[in-house]
Amino acid sequence: MNKKRSRNLGILLLAAVMIVIAACGNNGTNNAGNNSNAAGGEAATNAPATEAPEASPETVQDAGTLTVYLNDFDEMIVPLFEEATGYKVEVVVGNGAEIMSRVEAEKGNPHWDVLWLDSMPSIYSLGASGQLLEGWTPNNAANLTDFAKAFVPEKQWYFPTGAHAAGVIVYNKDKVKAEDAPSTWEAFADAKYKGMLGMADPAVAAPAYPFVSWFFNEKTLDGGKEYFTSLMKNDLHVYPKNPNVVSALTSGEITVAALQESNAYKMKNGGEPIEIIWPEEGAPASVRVAAIQKDTKNPNAAKAFVEFVLDAKTQQALIDQGEESYFEPSVNGVQPKADRAAAAKLVATEAAWASENEAAIKQWFADQSVQ
């Protein structure tokens, strides 16, 4: 009986030793097998001796095609951007009032990713109401000129891509002698130009509101009303957009105008008998800015677009090839049009002030047109 117990005990001890040896061998050689089991859905029994590194955050993926709302350069920006970046882009084109009305209508469900307009006061108001991406700095913003840096808002809702004269003084030299032409905005309001004057409507044309807002800001609201009332008493013609002002100058309906600079230079280069005067106190500027919608579903393409329009090569292409090619670039290393006045002086209203008073000033103009 004791011999039997001893034999059984020996068998049990031998089995235990073999189990321990097998277990040690598995710990050293079966990592691949454990990984295979885990991939096949079986639970791994041997945890790694060291702690696994934390997973890196996933890159946000764009949902689809970038949509840009703009009022100029639609004829060239799509192929340039797509070729340079590989992102697909669609543009929606309209004048300033049309684009901003569309943005307002889509407020609860924006269809746009980027706004690129010379409507800085209106876009400032979108930032103030929480509709724009803020706090992001494009790499190319480091190359902004000192003039352009002044237009970047504190929360970086948008970045300027150029500024142009919303209004220079243009006159028909066949009907007005050079010595009789107005060289200042005060002279522009002289009674001797009664019935001869024209400008674009600030409620419709994107550059026209930045133009008139400068007078209201410089002269105060009451002073601005007084100034434009004097123009209206001189039978000022107000046209929907700057191309309409061009047509009126060409037809002889008016002979002196406040005209956006690209339109003015096109007239002169096209052989029209006009001369361009940059007023001594400066020409009110319309600043074109690029802004990203706060909840855009295409953040990578949107940021790439802003970087692209802040690139010196892009701005040079817009000047060399664009239809609205007369403007002051916002980044260093870009040459304006050779025939653009070397001493061209731009003045601009501070965006917050222009935004705060936009509705009231536009309503005042609308009221005057009804009277």
Side-chain angles (χ1 to χ4, degrees), residues 44-312:
T45 57
N46 297 316
T50 57
E51 186 177 338
E54 293 184 7
S56 59
E58 294 183 0
T59 302
V60 176
Q61 298 296 315
D62 288 354
T65 300
L66 181 75
T67 300
V68 179
Y69 286 8
L70 50 75
N71 65 329
D72 287 315
F73 299 115
D74 53 289
E75 78 283 357
M76 62 182 295
I77 199 65
V78 172
L80 285 178
F81 176 69
E82 290 185 345
E83 181 178 358
T85 67
Y87 289 109
K88 293 296 181 183
V89 60
E90 293 180 352
V91 297
V92 174
V93 187
N95 62 45
E98 291 167 345
I99 294 297
M100 294 311 301
S101 294
R102 184 164 183 155
V103 168
E104 178 61 26
E106 297 173 0
K107 187 173 181 179
N109 182 29
H111 298 165
W112 56 277
D113 298 297
V114 174
L115 291 179
W116 188 37
L117 301 169
D118 53 341
S119 300
M120 184 171 64
S122 299
I123 295 178
Y124 182 94
S125 69
L126 296 179
S129 62
Q131 298 181 58
L132 301 179
L133 179 71
E134 61 182 47
W136 171 68
T137 305
N139 292 329
N140 285 335
N143 197 34
L144 287 171
T145 65
D146 290 340
F147 180 72
K149 287 177 183 177
F151 299 121
V152 179
E154 181 180 358
K155 294 188 177 180
Q156 298 178 300
W157 294 320
Y158 53 75
F159 292 86
T161 68
H164 58 86
V168 290
I169 296 174
V170 173
Y171 69 94
N172 186 325
K173 62 183 182 181
D174 288 345
K175 299 184 178 181
V176 178
K177 295 179 180 179
E179 58 268 27
D180 293 331
S183 60
T184 67
W185 292 117
E186 289 303 318
F188 186 78
D190 196 294
K192 69 181 180 181
Y193 302 118
K194 185 176 178 66
M196 301 166 62
L197 302 172
M199 61 170 278
D201 189 340
V204 178
Y209 175 67
F211 173 74
V212 302
S213 70
W214 179 78
F215 293 91
F216 280 83
N217 185 231
E218 285 291 301
K219 299 175 179 293
T220 74
L221 290 174
D222 288 338
K225 292 176 182 178
E226 183 179 346
Y227 177 78
F228 283 101
T229 296
S230 70
L231 291 176
M232 292 171 185
K233 288 181 178 178
N234 278 349
D235 297 332
L236 172 71
H237 294 74
V238 179
Y239 300 94
K241 297 187 287 185
N242 280 284
N244 303 113
V245 180
V246 170
S247 296
L249 281 165
T250 302
S251 69
E253 183 176 2
I254 59 175
T255 55
V256 181
L259 183 62
Q260 189 266 353
E261 68 168 289
S262 280
N263 286 275
Y265 281 102
K266 284 179 190 175
M267 287 191 74
K268 187 170 184 178
N269 294 338
E272 294 291 338
I274 62 106
E275 287 294 345
I276 300 170
I277 297 174
W278 284 81
E280 296 172 3
E281 62 269 50
S286 182
V287 183
R288 191 179 306 279
V289 300
I292 298 174
Q293 196 253 114
K294 181 185 66 174
D295 297 319
T296 175
K297 293 180 172 57
N298 298 292
N300 301 305
K303 290 177 179 179
F305 186 89
V306 176
E307 292 278 17
F308 183 69
V309 293
L310 288 175
D311 187 88

